[in-house]
Amino acid sequence: MANNFRNGSSHRSSLTKTDRPLSVNSNAKGAVKSKPLPASGLRKSSPASLGSAAAAAAAKDDAGVLGRVRVAVRLRSRNEEEMVADADFADCVELQPELKRLKLRKNNWDTDTYEFDEVLTEFASQKRVYEVVAKPVVESVLDGYNGTIMAYGQTGTGKTYTLGRLGEEDKASRGIMVRAMEDILADVSLETDSLTVSYLQLYMEAIQDLLDPSNDNISIVEDPKTGDVSLPGATVVEIKDQQSFMELLRIGEANRFAANTKLNTTSSRSHAILMVHVKRSLEGRDIAHSSENGNGTQMVKTLKPPIVRKGKLVVVDLAGSERIDKSGSEGHTLEEAKSINLSLSALGKCINALAEGSSHVPVRDSKLTRLLRDSFGGTARTSLVVTIGPSPRHRGETASTIMFGQRAMKVENMLKLKEEFDYKSLSRRLDIQLDKLIVENERKQKTFEDEIERITIEAQNRISEAERNYEDALEKERLKYQKDYMESIKKLEEKWIMNQQKQGSERIMAGSKDDSSDVASNGKDSMASVVEELAEVKKLLLKETQSRKAAEGEVNNLKSQVAQWKRSEASGNTEILKLREMLEDETQQKNKLEGEIAILQSQLLQLSFEADETSKRLDKGGSANGPGSLDSLRTEVRNQQPKDSGNGEKASIAKLFEQVGLHKILSLLEAEDTDVQIHAVKVVANLASEELNQAKIVEAGGLSSLLMLLRTSEDETIHRVAAGAIANLAMNETNQELIMAQGGIRLLSMTAANAEDPQTLRMIAGAIANLCGNDKLQTKLRGEGGIKALLGMVRCGHPDVLAQVARGIANFAKCESRAATQGTKTGKSLLIEDGALSWIVQNANNGASIIRRHIELALCHLAQHEVNAKDMITGGALWELVRISQDCSREDIRTLAHRTLTSSPGFRAEISRLRIER
C-alpha cells in the first residue's frame, strides 16, 4: 500500500514530577525463568562496540557511575478485533505487578516467568508510565548526563501512544515527550540556560529531518576521541515555552511516514528520534565574596571560570517489528518492512553482544545502532519500555519482545557527567570587572590628587601666616626697645643739665667762703650725685637687658613654631609618598589583571579558531561522484573489505588490488574519513604480508604513508594495523634501513608509549624486533630509543607482547655477539647499559615456552663476551645460565650455555668460588 504522511492525530509529549524514580544503582531484578541476572560489572568492550570511545573514557574517569539499562514492560488491553477473534481464548500474558513479574503462557498447563524493573498493566496511567520509566532519565539530563528513553515492541502495541501522545483534548493522556518537556521547562532558567530540539526519522536507512522534509539525507558524525555521535545537518530549534514545542511535534508527526496494515491503520514506517539538548550554567562558582575589616570592604575576586553542564535527552520511537504474513505488507510497504526488520535485527545483535560480553559488537551494521551507540554500553542513562499485547495469536512476537527486554537488562552503561568551563562568560565578567577597576582607580587617583593639593595649600598658608606673625612681632619689639632707649637717653641728658645748673647756683650763693672747705664740700656732693646717677643708669641698663632677653625668648618661641610647621610639612610629604606608592601598587595590579585577561582572550580566540577549522573540515565534501572519483574508490574499499579468512581473504585483496590499483589505495590513507583510512590500511597490511608486494608498496610511497599515519592519526585501530604493516615490511633488510632513515623507531616508540591495546603493542613490538635483527642498525636503533621502547611495553603483561619483546632482545643480543666476534664492537652490551638484564633474568624461566626460549638464547649470546660477565654475575644471570646448561629442553641452546660457561674465565672463577655443580 502506498505510503502517506501522518496527519498529526498522534503526537509526542513530555512529563511531570514523580515519586518513584528508577534508581540507577539499584540491584538488577530482571530474570529469565526466575533466574537472577549476573552481577553488575564494567564490561570492557572493543573499539567497535556501542559507545566504545565513551566507555573507554568513562573507564578512566573516576567520576563515572555504573548504571544498568532499566526495562519496563507495558501491556496493551485487547482491541475490538481481538475481543471478537480471541473471545474463546485466554490471554497469553499474565501480569503480577506487585512482584514486578510477568508470566507468558506456553500452553494450558505450562508458563514461563520473567522479571522486569517495572510491570505496567493495561490500566496503568500515562502519568504512572512516565514516572517509573522516563522521569529518572529526565532528572539525570538536567544534572548534566546523557539520557535515552526508547520504546520497543510489535506493531500496534502502543509505542507511539506511550511516547508521543499530545493529549490536547485530555491532558491525562499526554505521553512521555510532552511530560518530559514540561519538567525540563519547569527546571531550567531560559535567561541563563539553553534548550534546543531536533526531530528526525530513520526511513529506509536514510536519516531525514521531520522539521524540514527537504533535508532527507543527514550524515552521522562521530568524535574519534570521545565517541559522541552528532548530526550536524539536522535542524536545531530553540525552545522558549511548551506551546512552541507542541507545535514542533505536530509538524514532525505530520511529516513522518505511516501506512495502513492489517495490524495497525496508522503503522509507523520509520524510527522517530527526538533529541533535546540542555545547556545549564552553574551560578555561584565564581561570584566575588566580600569581607568587612573595620575600615571598609575588601573585595576578594576569583578567576575561576563558570561551569556549564550539557545534557542530551534522546527519545526513540522505534517502528514496530512485524511478520509479513500477519501485516499483509506488499509492494513498497513490503520494502519498508524489510528495512525496519533489518535495523531492529542489527540492534538486537548489538544488545546480545553487549549482554554476553562479546569482544566485538557489530555497531556499524545499521545507522540505528550507530545513533544509539551511547545508549547501550556507552555513557547515557537508558530506560527501555517494551510494549506487548495479550492476544495468543501473537504469542511468538510477544515472546521475542520480552526476550529483547531481558537481554537489554544485562547491558551496563558508565554514566559520565558532561561539564566544561564557560570561558566566554568569564571573559565578559573580567571585562566588566576591569572597567569597574579602571573607574574606581581613576576616582581614587582624583581624590588623592585633590587631597594632596588641599594639604599643600593649607601648609603653605600656615607657613606664610607664621612668617608674617614673626616679622610683625620682631618689628614691634624693635620699635619698643628703640623708644625705651631714646627715652632713657633723654632722661639722662635732662638730669645732667639739671645737675649742672644746680652746681652753678650753689657756687654763686657760697660767695667768699673758704675756698678749700667749699671745694671739698662741693667735691663730696658732686661725687654723691654722680654715684646716684650711675646707680640709676645701671637700673635702666638692667631693665633694658631683661626686656631684650624677653624679646629673644619670644623670638625663640616663634622659631620653634616655624620648625613645628616645617615638621608638619615633612610629615605631609611622607604621607604623599605613601599615597603615591599605593597608587603605583594599584596600577601594577591593574596591569596584571589586564595581562591575565589578554591571555584568556587569546585562549578563547584560539578555541574559536579551532572550532571554526573543525566546522570547515566537517562541511567540506568531495568533488566528484563518477566511477574514478575518490568517493567511488572509498565505496569500493568499504565494499571490498575482507570478510573471510584464509584464501578467500587473499583472493578478495588481490582482486581489489588489480581493479583499483596500488596508488589509489595508498591515496585513501590520507582520506578525512576515519572509516576509509581503517579499511585502506587493512588492505595495505594484507598486501604487505606477501613478499612479492612489499617492494611495490615501498616504491609507491606506502611506507611513508604508514609512518605518517602513526604520526598524525589518533585512532587505535589505525595504529594497530599500520604497525602490523610496518612489521611485515621490516622483514626485508632494505626496508629496515628505509624505516630507520625516516624516523620509524621514534614513531613506533611514541605510539607504544601512548597505546594500551595489547594487539597494538604486539604489532609495534614485532616491528622493532624485526629491526633488532639488522647488524648495521644496532647503534642507531638504540640511540633512537628502540631498546627502551621494547622494555617499556612489558608493562602490558600480555603473553603475545612479551613474546615479541623477548624476540627483539634475542635478535639484538645475537647481532651484538656476531659484531663482537668479528671485532667491530667492543665494550659492554647496549642491552645491559639500558637496563634490560634484570628483566631478562626475571623471565629466563617464564612459563610460556616461546618467551623462555628467546630469553635463554639472549642470555647465551650475552654471556659469550667476557666484558659482560661481571654484570651478569652481579645481576643473577649466572644461576640461570647454569640452569639452562642442565635443564633446557632445546639441545642447541643447552650446548651453547655449557660451552659459554666453560670458556669464560669470569664464570669459571665464580662457579668455583660458589662451588656450583655443573
Side-chain angles (χ1 to χ4, degrees), residues 151 317 327 333 372 379 423 641 656 658 751 785 840 847 883 897 900:
D317 181 10
S327 63
T333 306
L372 297 178
T379 61
Y423 289 104
Q641 181 188 3
L656 176 64
E658 295 175 359
T751 306
I840 294 174
R883 181 192 59 78
T900 300

Side-chain angles (χ1 to χ4, degrees), residues 7 38 54 64 89 107 109 153 160 240 263 275 365 382 404 429 487 491 574 628 659 662 669 727 747 814 817 885:
N7 57 13
F89 300 95
N107 46 49
W109 57 88
T160 302
K240 293 297 183 182
L263 297 177
M275 292 186 176
D365 288 357
T382 301
F404 180 90
R429 182 175 287 106
E487 288 178 353
K491 287 180 180 179
T574 303
Q659 293 178 351
L662 181 60
L669 297 177
L747 289 175
K814 182 178 180 181
S817 175
S885 67

Side-chain angles (χ1 to χ4, degrees), residues 487-497 533 536-537 540:
E487 288 178 353
S488 299
I489 295 298
K490 186 178 180 181
K491 287 180 180 179
L492 288 173
E493 289 178 350
E494 289 177 352
K495 287 182 178 181
W496 185 79
I497 294 171
E533 289 178 357
E536 190 174 354
V537 169
L540 290 174

